[in-house]
Structure formats: C-alpha cells, structure tokens
Amino acid sequence: MNPAQTDAAIQTHYRACNLCEAICGLEIRVRGNEILSIRGDEADPLSRGHICPKAIALKDIHEDPNRLRTPLRRTASGWEEIGWDEALDYAADRLVEVQRAHGGDAIASYLGNPTVHNYGSMTHAPRLLQTLKSRTRFSATSVDQLPHQLLAYWMYGHQLLVPIADIDRSHYFLVLGANPMASNGSLMTVPDFRNRLKALQARGGKMVVLDPRRSETAEVADEHHFVHPGTDAAFMLGLLKVVFDEQLTRLDRLGAFSDGIDAAAAAITAFDLDVLAAHCGVHAAIIRRIAREFAAAEGAAAYGRMGVSTQQFGTLTQWLIQLLNIVTGNLDRAGGTMFARMAVDLVDSPVSRPGHFGKWKSRVRGLPEFAGELPVAALAEEILTPPASADSTNIRALITSAGNPVLSTPNGAQLDRALSGLDFMLSVDLYLNETTRHAHLILPPTAALEHDHYDLIFHVFAVRNTTRYSEALFDKPAGTLHDWEIFEGLGARVAARLGLKRDAFPQPHQIIDMGLRSGPYGAMRKHPAALTLKKLQENPHGIDLGAMEPCLPQRLAHKDRRIQCTPPELLVELQHFGQQLGAPDVGTPLKLIGRRHLRSNNSWMHNFQRLVKGPVRTQLLMHPADLALRGLSDGARVEVRSRVGRVVVEVSASDEMMRGVVSLPHGWGHDRDGTRLDIAQAHAGVSNNDLTDENFLDAVSGNAALNGVPVTVEAIA
Ligand SMILES: Nc1nc2c(c(=O)[nH]1)N[C@H]1C(S)=C(S)[C@@H](COP(=O)(O)OP(=O)(O)OC[C@H]3O[C@@H](n4cnc5c(=O)[nH]c(N)nc54)[C@H](O)[C@@H]3O)O[C@H]1N2
Ligand SMILES: Nc1nc2c(c(=O)[nH]1)N[C@H]1C(S)=C(S)[C@@H](COP(=O)(O)OP(=O)(O)OC[C@H]3O[C@@H](n4cnc5c(=O)[nH]c(N)nc54)[C@H](O)[C@@H]3O)O[C@H]1N2
Ligand code: SF4
Ligand SMILES: [Mo]
C-alpha cells in the first residue's frame, strides 16, 4: 500500500495505468474499499497528468460483478466453483496426463496482450512453459509487432533493440499505419501524444500520415495521404529511391558501422518511381517532396505501426522504414529514432534473450518460430490436423493466459471450433469470455489494483527514459492468487508429478529490485540515481532519467557491433514484391482494414457501461461512392464476405475512407453463447477476425495480415 497522504480515511495512491502502452501515471483516491476518483498524475515525469477515458474503467474492472474471483471447473451441466488447491492439482494432473501420452508439444500455450502489462506474468509464465517443455507456444506477438522484433534481431542484434521516434525533439514525423490519437501509441510509449505533437508543430516541425482512412491522427496531421492497403512498401521504396538517386543520404556517422547499404541501394534504385507511385496511390511528385523534406529536416523520424506491421508486406515495409531512418542519418540522433535506456535493462543483462529465428517450424504448414514462438495463424490447424506419424502429435491441450484468440486471431471462427475439441484447456483469465468458455478450468488472478506493478516492457519503447514502481492499491482478497502465483503453483505441481527438480526462483518484485540495482542507473553501477526498489517506492510518481541519448555502436548487440542493414531475407522479399507490382485492383474486391477507438481496448473492455454507451461505433465504414456503386444506402445491413467467412453488419457511409477500402474494428462479436459478459453481450458487434484469413500472412515473419484482407460487401436479401 502506498498511502501518500491521509485525509479522514481517504487515501491517495499513485500508480501506472496498465491498460495500454502509454502507461499513464494515475492518482487514485480511495476510502476503504471504495474508489472515489481516478485522475491523471500531474507529477508523473512521462505522462504529465494525461489520461484517457479507459483509465476510469479500472474502477469498473475492479467492481465488475462478471469478473471471476474463484476457479471455475467445467461440469456436464455447467460450471462449478472450486478451491485453489483442488484447481491447481486438477490442472497439473490433466496437463501431465496429456504430456505423458503425447509429449510436450501436445500442450500449447497462448499468452495474450495483457501479459506484457502484468510483470509477474512476464517473469513467471515462461518458467511454467519451460517445465512443460513445449515448442508449441503462441502469443499475440504474431498478430501484432512480430516484424519489429524480427528486424531488431536481424539488424541490431536483439529483438528488443527497437528504435523509438524521439518525438519530443523531432522536426519531421512520418507516420505509416498508426493512429496514436486513438491508440495512444504503440512501440512508442507516448502518453499525451496530442500535446507532444502540438509542441513538434510549434517548433516548426510537421507530421505526415499515410493511411487508407483519414484517421483521428490524420485529422491533426499537417498532411495526410491515402495509400492502398498493403502497398506501403511501394511508397517507402519511392522515398528511398529519391534519397539514393538525389544523393540525399547522410552516412558520415552511421556508415562507419553499417553493412549492406550498397546492396539495398542497388536493389531499390532499380525500381521505377512512377510504377511505385501508381501502385501505392501516392503521386510521384508527393513522394519526391516528402523524401527531400525528410532528408533535410533537423531530426526526422519514420514510424510505422499496426497498419504496416500486420499486412502482407509487413516485414518488408518495416525494414524500409528502418533503412530510411538509417540512410538519412536519423537513427541514433536527437529528433530521429533512438534507443531507450531502461532502468531494468532487458537487452544488456545476463538474462537477456536476443532472439532466434526458424530453429523449428510449425508441424502442418512449416511456419518458422521466432524467439520460441510460432505464428498464431497456425494454432487452429495444429489442433485440427491429425498427426501424420506416430512420433508426431497434434495439439491436445492448451493453456491460454490473458488472451482472447477467438476474437483476436485470424479466422477466429475456425479456432472457436478447434478449441471445443481439445482434451484439456486451461485459461488464466479474469473473465468467462469467447475463448475461455471452451476451457475445462478457468483460474482467475487478482485484478490490477490488487497487485503491484512495474512496466518491464514499455520503458523499452518509451520516448523518454523514466522508471516507476506502483504498490498494490488494495490488499489481495483472502484466498486469491496473483498471476505469477498461479504459474508458480502450477509449475511446482507439474514438476513434482514429472519428478523434475525446480530451482528456487525470486518473486517478481525481487527480480525488479535486482534489475534496478544492476541496471544502467543502478546502485551497483554507482550511478548517481542509485536505483533500488526502495528508492522507487519512495518516489511513487516515478523518476525521470532523461531524454534518449545516442548509444551506437556500443549498444548494438551483434558481436561485431555493426548494423546489418540488409538482412538477406529482405532482398528476396523485395524481389517478390517487385514481381507483383502493378496497378492495384481498385474497387473489387474491397480491402478490409481495422480500426481502434479511444474507448475500447482490443476485445476485453466492452463490459463497462461508461465505455460502450453512446452511438454505436462498430459499423463497417465505406466510402459513399462505393456504397452507391453497390446500390447500398447509409445504415443498411450488409453481408461482408471473405475467403474464410461472413458477417452481417450495419454499413456507415464515410468519406474518411479511401475508395475501395472498408473498415471494421476488431475485438467485437460478443454474441457467442456461454459467456459471462452481460454488458458486452448487449453491445455485441461482429468480429473482424471472422473475416481475416489464417492463410493471409506476412511471408517473411508469419505475422498475420489483418489489414488489406480482400472482401466483398453486398446487400442482404
Ligand atoms: N483505444 C485503444 N488503444 C489501444 C488499443 C485498443 O484496442 N484501443 N490497442 C493497443 C494495442 S494492443 C496496440 S498494438 C496499439 C496499436 O496502435 P496503432 O497501430 O496506433 O493503432 P491502429 O488503430 O491499429 O492503427 C493502425 C492504422 O493503420 C491504418 N491502416 C490499415 N491498413 C493500412 C495499410 O495498409 N497501410 C497504412 N499506411 N495504414 C493502414 C488504419 O486505418 C489505422 O489508422 O494500440 C494500443 N492502444
Ligand atoms: N483484425 C484485427 N485483429 C487484431 C488486431 C487488429 O488490429 N485487427 N490487433 C491485434 C493486437 S495488436 C493484439 S495485442 C491482439 C490482442 O489479442 P489478445 O491478447 O488475444 O486479446 P485481448 O483482447 O487483449 O484479451 C485480453 C484477455 O486478458 C484478460 N486479462 C486482462 N487483464 C489480465 C490479467 O492481468 N491477467 C490475466 N490472466 N488476464 C487478463 C482479459 O479478460 C481478456 O480475456 O489482438 C490482435 N487482433
Ligand atoms: S492512454 Fe492508456 S495508459 Fe493512459 S490512461 Fe488511457 S488506457 Fe491508461
Ligand atoms: Mo497489440
């Protein structure tokens, strides 16, 4: 508990919001068990008082009568509440049974997004998975940021060496397929994006946005250009071609420790600018101008997110973005893209995991692992496809934690069916939802305000170096377990049954203390900040550690301390891209893209009245001319079809949309039977991922291509 001030039993707590990557500092006032108010913490050095409407919903999550508080076991007639010891024993028995009969790979796991917002899961879930010796691991990474991690590993030598746009000092911010005005930023922890952008504009800088939808971020940009979904690589190739052709490169510093730029330049300059322009839909003159402006700016950052990470040419596009930052001299430069220096350093540390790629492949389709995980687009087929021989196995059991893959992974309807055939499924989750309804056992951990918090991951991506530890607001209710305690309890039981020895392992807060002490600002390194957990406890608003600083080549994780600018896989992919280059098919079929809203968070925050009230916002958005072409009217119910499925949804005319592109948010589709989500069910919407296609991938990484999915839209008879 961190009672900073006492006022007739009213206590004020400071803590990080764990809901999205902006990690805003909150000031929460409580009286006993009652939450009186949630506000932005003005003294937080990173978020400076900023919050969004979702923060208030932390109260709703805490109080939600639908939130599970006791283990639930499936019975023939429904669910029964059972005690924790019985639940953990039952889970261990069933997992060991499957492992003995079919081997470790028969037990798969899926870790969802809130895992990275819950540091105890980060420290302790991997330990359970190690005990299970399974190579069929999946996570939300492969419907999200996989290309960034793969490129960071290839180019800079470590999957977490992801360069971050230094927006606070930049003069030119080029944004492809990101909507921080709704998302509050991603792989860019940037609370208060709006004011940071205003400051950039006030210092004479500008933001240019490429997006097939005139998004909330495009609205506040200095320039917005429509781009055909999935064709950003052509736009980026155009920029790089101009930079190389007009000799606008600035390689005086980075050139000294970069390899492969010549090979990239040769391949890129061979393209024809007019062909590239026609392909992406951005005029050649505009590409030329943006290239010159970008190269001339005193600190420019190119940044691409979900719209380019989760598309057919995701890794290629993200590579070209890295390359532009490098060849214009903007990597590792103030105002360009820089590496954060985290107080608990996950890169330069004895437990660092740089990554590995393709060490094994998925059984059915041969998709490559990255850093020990397989692309989740393969999960359903790995369950449904029987083994070809006696020495192989399909997935027979699944552990999900903090994930809802039925709504969040491609062809969710197929996965929905696959899950119902598992021998055993265990879900660690706060809710009985579209995914966990298939579990044989649901183990609900404590909710956010009942445990302490440290952002192990998001300081890696933050636009400024800070550190902050949050105490639990409320004591853990009697007879409940934190996520990490569930993993520990289960791991110990599994190990005992398998006769495996288990080393003692520190608790999450002890790991943080060690990480802080031995980290770059740590007491052990004699840094003036002398960080320890105790020091953070004494500074609940967080501690400012300064702007990002140049750190290359020392920080590079390749042994030779050089940047590998042109991973060979990308030259091959560039050829593939070139082969399909041609005029895009405007109009038919339509291309489906996603959409985020400030008051939503992936699939799981639709059960709170204050976030779902107001006008419906789950419609399919479509340009009026595309509606007219099909004889459809605004507000009509339409059938959207893709290769894998169909949904029926209301269509809304919107000139925000590029012609030929339709948009549907993901994470909805709460009308499936057997969930316990009263409010979400009443605001069901349809699931975008009943349309996305498990075969439509970024070929390099196996990441799902969730944007640019071919669909048709028709009136319903
Ligand atoms: N309110 C809210 N905030 C969130 C979340 C949420 O669900 N709700 N989710 C959180 C998570 S897990 C993440 S990963 C982040 C994501 O953060 P962002 O990536 O910033 O969020 P998106 O809204 O997915 O932005 C993708 C943009 O790409 C555009 N786009 C689609 N296809 C293409 C294309 O082919 N090319 C280009 N150039 N653009 C394209 C879309 O129109 C959209 O504007 O948000 C986080 N924050
Ligand atoms: N079409 C399309 N699909 C997408 C996206 C898209 O843009 N378009 N975005 C993708 C992205 S970026 C992401 S990150 C994924 C997210 O996909 P997932 O991670 O699979 O799904 P979430 O909706 O984040 O589900 C989170 C689950 O965690 C539970 N939960 C919340 N907090 C905790 C906790 O502390 N502990 C435990 N044990 N459980 C908790 C919630 O109840 C919920 O069931 O979706 C992806 N899917
Ligand atoms: S922007 Fe994200 S971190 Fe900040 S208050 Fe909203 S949900 Fe929480
Ligand atoms: Mo995400």
Side-chain angles (χ1 to χ4, degrees):
M1 308 282 279
N2 63 351
Q5 140 199 351
T6 313
D7 174 16
I10 294 179
Q11 292 185 321
T12 305
H13 299 256
Y14 300 98
R15 90 177 263 119
C17 177
N18 63 301
L19 296 174
C20 90
E21 298 182 41
I23 63 170
C24 298
L26 306 178
E27 182 199 277
I28 308 182
R29 288 166 62 249
V30 300
R31 192 194 291 116
N33 283 328
E34 191 192 357
I35 299 170
L36 301 174
S37 68
I38 301 180
R39 295 200 192 97
D41 178 3
E42 305 282 343
D44 185 286
L46 184 64
S47 63
R48 313 176 301 202
H50 174 265
I51 55 165
C52 86
K54 289 185 294 299
I56 323 293
L58 282 170
K59 174 177 161 76
D60 303 334
I61 300 171
H62 189 72
E63 295 168 357
D64 190 352
N66 283 154
R67 177 162 66 82
L68 305 179
R69 280 141 172 107
T70 314
L72 284 187
R73 179 163 57 188
R74 174 194 300 285
T75 67
S77 57
W79 295 95
E80 61 171 345
E81 293 191 354
I82 59 173
W84 277 100
D85 280 329
E86 188 184 357
L88 291 170
D89 281 331
Y90 172 65
D93 285 340
R94 299 296 311 271
L95 290 171
V96 167
E97 199 178 288
V98 173
Q99 213 224 39
R100 287 216 171 101
H102 306 284
D105 291 347
I107 305 175
S109 55
Y110 174 85
L111 302 183
N113 169 274
T115 306
V116 284
H117 296 272
N118 181 322
Y119 84 107
S121 294
M122 294 285 296
T123 56
H124 282 69
R127 200 164 125 82
L128 169 66
L129 301 183
Q130 269 156 23
T131 307
L132 289 168
K133 292 198 173 47
S134 159
R135 293 185 311 172
T136 45
R137 299 187 194 179
F138 303 86
S139 81
T141 291
S142 50
V143 282
D144 193 345
Q145 80 288 356
L146 175 55
H148 300 252
Q149 283 178 249
L150 179 58
L151 286 168
Y153 165 67
W154 274 338
M155 298 179 76
Y156 310 115
H158 195 290
Q159 57 176 324
L160 292 180
L161 278 179
V162 175
I164 306 305
D166 183 21
I167 186 174
D168 290 343
R169 289 178 291 185
S170 193
H171 287 87
Y172 204 94
F173 189 34
L174 176 62
V175 176
L176 289 86
N179 189 8
M181 286 295 289
S183 71
N184 285 296
S186 182
L187 294 192
M188 184 178 186
T189 284
V190 59
D192 201 12
F193 173 78
R194 181 71 186 105
N195 280 315
R196 291 185 135 102
L197 172 64
K198 279 185 179 159
L200 180 150
Q201 289 163 329
R203 77 179 88 96
K206 78 191 236 186
M207 176 169 78
V208 176
V209 171
L210 275 280
D211 199 304
R213 173 174 162 248
R214 195 172 65 249
S215 66
E216 293 79 355
T217 302
E219 289 286 359
V220 298
D222 300 274
E223 266 181 51
H224 164 236
H225 302 285
F226 284 128
V227 57
H228 295 299
T231 67
D232 300 79
F235 172 77
M236 289 305 304
L237 285 167
L239 292 184
L240 279 156
K241 179 178 165 59
V242 174
V243 167
F244 287 125
D245 283 349
E246 301 188 2
Q247 293 167 13
L248 305 175
T249 56
R250 235 192 280 186
L251 284 163
D252 36 336
R253 191 169 87 87
L254 298 175
F257 48 86
S258 295
D259 291 320
I261 293 178
D262 292 345
I268 291 167
T269 48
F271 283 91
D272 180 317
L273 187 60
D274 290 320
V275 173
L276 294 170
H279 187 72
C280 66
V282 184
H283 203 279
I286 293 174
I287 296 179
R288 215 176 268 120
R289 177 177 55 76
I290 292 175
R292 290 172 186 158
E293 288 176 358
F294 190 92
E298 270 316 303
Y303 161 74
R305 209 35 201 110
M306 280 300 282
V308 282
S309 310
T310 54
Q311 58 144 284
Q312 199 181 356
F313 292 101
T315 306
L316 179 67
T317 308
Q318 294 293 356
W319 171 58
L320 296 169
I321 290 172
Q322 294 298 321
L323 209 53
L324 181 70
N325 289 323
I326 292 171
V327 301
T328 55
N330 279 300
L331 176 70
D332 200 40
R333 169 201 195 190
T337 58
M338 307 189 81
F339 294 106
R341 196 44 140 172
M342 310 72 93
V344 178
D345 197 338
L346 302 180
V347 175
D348 187 9
S349 106
V351 293
S352 174
R353 277 177 293 186
H356 44 77
F357 179 67
K359 277 199 176 170
W360 63 88
K361 302 243 162 94
S362 70
R363 178 180 60 95
V364 178
R365 216 189 313 174
L367 296 178
E369 65 79 34
F370 175 70
E373 289 179 5
L374 293 166
V376 71
L379 176 54
E381 71 203 22
E382 292 292 325
I383 300 170
L384 294 169
T385 314
S389 62
D391 60 355
S392 107
T393 180
N394 59 331
I395 291 169
R396 314 291 294 245
L398 174 68
I399 302 173
T400 72
S401 179
N404 193 359
V406 165
L407 295 191
S408 54
T409 67
N411 200 352
Q414 184 192 29
L415 183 64
D416 208 351
R417 289 190 296 276
L419 296 186
S420 62
L422 288 166
D423 295 351
F424 180 62
M425 177 169 158
L426 165 68
S427 290
V428 183
D429 205 288
L430 304 169
Y431 287 98
L432 175 44
N433 65 18
E434 298 76 12
T435 295
T436 63
R437 70 190 175 124
H438 293 293
H440 297 87
L441 180 68
I442 308 178
L443 301 177
T446 52
L449 303 181
E450 295 163 349
H451 55 74
D452 66 343
H453 182 82
Y454 186 83
D455 280 296
L456 261 183
I457 286 296
F458 296 104
H459 292 300
V460 180
F461 305 129
V463 298
R464 188 174 179 86
N465 295 318
T466 62
T467 183
R468 177 189 49 202
Y469 173 76
S470 313
E471 306 268 4
L473 222 89
F474 300 113
D475 291 330
K476 180 170 85 157
T480 61
L481 297 179
H482 300 310
D483 283 87
W484 72 268
E485 291 174 313
I486 295 172
F487 293 123
E488 225 15 49
L490 188 53
R493 283 169 170 82
V494 169
R497 282 160 176 75
L498 294 174
L500 301 173
K501 233 184 80 201
R502 266 186 133 222
D503 300 330
F505 198 67
Q507 296 189 11
H509 74 274
Q510 295 170 321
I511 295 175
I512 295 304
D513 190 33
M514 289 188 296
L516 289 167
R517 285 170 189 275
S518 60
Y521 314 88
M524 275 160 63
R525 299 249 191 125
K526 306 263 185 283
H527 189 279
L531 295 185
T532 61
L533 184 63
K534 184 160 172 289
K535 177 136 187 207
L536 263 53
Q537 286 170 313
E538 291 160 3
N539 293 274
H541 303 288
I543 295 175
D544 189 23
L545 300 169
M548 291 184 282
E549 281 177 22
C551 61
L552 298 190
Q554 298 80 6
R555 195 98 203 279
L556 295 169
H558 287 308
K559 283 205 184 74
D560 60 5
R561 298 275 182 257
R562 296 180 69 81
I563 303 173
Q564 172 54 267
C565 291
T566 306
E569 292 81 354
L570 274 311
L571 282 183
V572 175
E573 181 71 346
L574 194 54
Q575 273 177 7
H576 294 158
F577 183 77
Q579 282 154 9
Q580 55 88 57
L581 202 55
D585 44 355
V586 182
T588 44
L590 295 157
K591 295 283 161 60
L592 174 71
I593 64 169
R595 181 164 89 243
R596 282 179 159 77
H597 190 282
L598 191 58
R599 283 193 290 129
S600 173
N601 192 21
N602 295 323
S603 78
W604 72 282
M605 290 192 56
H606 302 151
N607 207 44
F608 317 118
Q609 202 58 49
R610 79 176 93 223
L611 294 186
V612 292
K613 69 182 182 205
V616 176
R617 45 174 210 256
T618 49
Q619 298 94 333
L620 183 79
L621 299 187
M622 191 180 208
H623 192 278
D626 284 328
L627 281 175
L629 205 66
R630 289 164 182 76
L632 298 168
S633 51
D634 183 30
R637 291 186 72 70
V638 296
E639 182 182 77
V640 190
R641 271 181 187 277
S642 72
R643 184 190 74 87
V644 307
R646 63 182 282 275
V647 300
V648 173
V649 64
E650 185 186 318
V651 69
S652 188
S654 167
D655 69 2
E656 287 167 8
M657 298 307 301
M658 188 179 195
R659 288 284 311 270
V661 185
V662 290
S663 161
L664 193 65
H666 78 282
W668 300 86
H670 300 298
D671 52 355
R672 286 153 161 91
D673 292 334
T675 66
R676 248 182 236 175
L677 294 162
D678 299 339
I679 296 174
Q681 272 170 349
H683 300 262
V686 298
S687 177
N688 175 316
N689 287 313
D690 287 345
L691 296 168
T692 57
D693 186 335
E694 80 279 13
N695 290 337
F696 189 51
L697 302 179
D698 166 28
V700 178
S701 67
N703 206 35
L706 304 169
N707 289 293
V709 178
V711 293
T712 57
V713 176
E714 285 167 25
I716 39 172

